[in-house]
Amino acid sequence: MARGDADLPEREGMEFDVVIVGAGPAGLSAAIRIKQLAAEKGEDISVVVLEKGSEVGAHILSGAVIDPKGLDRLIPDWRERGAPLTTQVTEDRFLVLGPAGDVRLPNFLMPPLMNNHGNYIGSLGLVVRWLGEQAAELGVEIYPGFSVNEVLYDEAGAVVGVATADMGIGRDGVPKDSFQRGMELRGKYTLLAEGARGSLTKTLIAKLDLARDAEPQKYGIGLKELWEVRPELHKPGLVQHSFGWPLDGKTGGGSFLYHYGKNLVSVGFVVHLNYDNPYLSPYDEFQRFKTHPTIRPVFEGGRRISYGARALTEGGWQSIPKLAFPGGALVGCAAGFMNVPRIKGSHNAVLSGIDAAEAIVEALGAGRSHDVLASYETAVRSGDIARDLKRVRNVKPLWSRFGTVLGVGLGGLDMWLRTLLFGWSPLGTLRHGKADYGSLTRARESTPIAYPKADGVLTFDKLTNVAFSATNHEEDQPVHLRLTDPSIPIEVNLPEYAEPAQRYCPAGVYEVVRNDDGDARFQINAQNCVHCKTCDIKDPSRNITWVCPEGGGGPNYAEM
């Protein structure tokens, strides 16, 4: 039987000026900028960054074509310092795919903001590792391998820090011999930089009602493989985006191929999570995409190096919640700053970290603590992030409302109008409508999809690919995928939606297993989880809650 907190020893505590949860581009940029400003003022501001991955960058997954605007502002000489971004974009291609061919869209038809000139192709994971090194050199304390499972509040309801999770708890909830009590890390200000659908961020937004004036956040799932291709097929600097096949006309999504480094190609596929067919499998759509006659030749004779998947925030401008709250703020993709048509968010993550840092240093200099960082909210909603997101605000709702052909065309028109008319469009700001969990139709009203079997050369089954994500969890720990009602998967989701978890999960975590008598049970293979958070978003019964497993668990993306 599990023991309650009252039976456990008191948690030890540490005090800092600033506590940051998440060592991604937003969290590390905030830490770096705080230390830069402190050094300019001749002050000592203590900053700690907590990261659930086994090392900095272990859980970072992105395309990635990186707009250097944020890095230019944070570390102007990042190129001279040896940041791992060396492949500049040399060519943009935009394709519409059909079952047997493609149509290339002329670049002059694309809104100027879609031009990748001046951007870089690389591994965001490697960039984040480099940012971690820069932060450590400035005196930031970084602790990877620590899951954070609790936000701490004072009597007035202000955030005063966080607590790391206990370690060494058995699957039955009983402490093992290896048990270690979590720690409290208290700060004058706390930043949540967990990325899309962060577990702390989700609960804090609900508790403080931060999204009351925002549209529902929208999401996509991004799947990626990194390949080494034959040298004669490698085109350094080529950025290729496509949409259409294999998705139908009413399902939003797209794909990319980025050539960079030494014969490396990032291939990825995004499916918007407001799709309606419960039989759709984002993972299998990705594998099928690679068989297209335009795509397949790139990978002939090559080898897949790694695989990963992650949820993306797609709500954009109208889905941004209130960012500042008593004692802290949301930064990066925790707040939802991704630009959907550009498939870019890292530049805005860095910019938000800088804005938050400047607000914090200003507040600390005035002797303040645990109050609302109003200047951060103002900076985001009136600065570069706002300018980036406002001009694409209608792309997602138009795509969702009118489908791929008409919706993408109208989205492009809206972006052109805002470019030519100084940000104005007759469409104003469109609403997203319902959240993604509410978009599925009933199984009896849907058409099953037959996916081809993986060939093991170009296409792969889920479990084989999960092995290439280097995912690992301590098996003897409580399952971190919590069911509010264990009966719902079989009694509700299976008859109503053919239990979509077994298809929307890109790692084979969820299975419906039948015994010899045909009776079904719901099986959770938590050790396979790549921390994409799709189940927490898409489950039609809102029955699955993703919480952090023991620190250090999950994927270990090497160069993703």
Side-chain angles (χ1 to χ4, degrees), residues 479-489 510 522 524 539 543-545:
V479 174
H480 67 279
L481 304 153
R482 309 283 176 81
L483 301 181
T484 304
D485 183 345
S487 70
I488 282 178
Y510 301 103
F522 191 60
I524 301 177
D539 179 52
N543 190 48
I544 301 175
T545 299

Side-chain angles (χ1 to χ4, degrees), residues 308-345:
R310 186 71 171 89
L312 316 170
T313 54
E314 293 188 340
W317 179 251
Q318 50 270 63
S319 296
I320 296 174
K322 184 174 174 57
L323 301 171
F325 47 84
L330 308 176
V331 295
C333 283
F337 295 143
M338 194 183 92
N339 184 312
V340 172
R342 298 182 73 199
I343 325 179
K344 291 179 182 62

Side-chain angles (χ1 to χ4, degrees), residues 247-321:
L247 298 177
D248 62 28
K250 63 181 180 179
T251 303
S255 43
F256 62 81
L257 271 73
Y258 303 150
H259 294 240
Y260 72 103
K262 187 176 181 181
N263 301 325
L264 297 178
V265 174
S266 289
V267 54
F269 198 83
V270 176
V271 177
H272 300 176
L273 287 178
N274 61 353
Y275 67 82
D276 61 4
N277 188 341
Y279 291 105
L280 186 144
S281 164
Y283 177 87
D284 291 297
E285 297 290 347
F286 174 36
Q287 297 305 304
R288 188 159 61 157
F289 156 73
K290 290 185 295 177
T291 68
H292 190 276
T294 301
I295 307 302
R296 175 189 288 270
V298 177
F299 303 107
E300 289 179 350
R303 69 181 183 96
R304 168 210 44 187
I305 297 172
S306 52
Y307 162 77
R310 186 71 171 89
L312 316 170
T313 54
E314 293 188 340
W317 179 251
Q318 50 270 63
S319 296
I320 296 174

Side-chain angles (χ1 to χ4, degrees), residues 457-480:
V457 178
L458 176 65
T459 61
F460 310 97
D461 63 76
K462 286 182 182 180
L463 295 185
T464 299
N465 243 352
V466 168
F468 283 79
S469 69
T471 294
N472 184 56
H473 294 90
E474 165 62 48
E475 290 197 20
D476 188 13
Q477 64 171 305
V479 174
H480 67 279

